[in-house]
């Protein structure tokens, strides 16, 4: 039986070193599953072949991701 989504017990940011071969969405899904709540979002998207820092926002702070939308991509 699938677990029922729970409200986020904590708000904040989680910094992940995204491995090659995983999409940003794969990482978000994994954190949602492990944490047991759906309020997880990310700041920016990394190509599946790229490795690097992926910032996840948890709980109420995931709404702050809208502030960062539309920013220029760092090269």
């Amino acid at each position: 039986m699938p677990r029922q989504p729970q409200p986020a017990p904590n708000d904040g940011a989680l910094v992940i070193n995204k491995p090659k071969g995983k999409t940003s969405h794969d990482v978000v899904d994994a954190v949602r599953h492990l944490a047991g709540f759906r309020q997880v979002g990310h700041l920016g998207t990394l190509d599946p072949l790229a490795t690097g820092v992926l910032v996840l926002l948890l709980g109420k702070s995931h709404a702050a991701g809208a502030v960062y939308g539309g920013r220029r991509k760092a090269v």
Side-chain angles (χ1 to χ4, degrees):
M1 179 177 352
R3 280 193 277 182
Q4 293 288 20
Q6 299 297 315
N10 296 311
D11 304 319
L14 182 63
V15 179
I16 303 283
N17 184 11
K18 188 191 84 61
K20 183 177 181 179
K22 298 284 185 184
T23 66
S24 299
H25 189 264
D26 292 340
V27 175
V28 168
D29 275 348
V31 170
R32 284 176 176 161
H33 178 74
L34 290 171
F37 58 87
R38 294 203 41 83
Q39 293 175 315
V40 180
H42 59 84
L43 295 179
T45 301
L46 293 175
D47 186 273
L49 298 178
T51 62
V53 173
L54 180 65
V55 179
L56 303 182
L57 299 176
L58 311 175
K60 292 178 184 174
S61 64
H62 86 283
V67 174
Y68 292 97
R71 302 284 184 185
R72 289 186 58 179
K73 182 177 174 180
V75 183

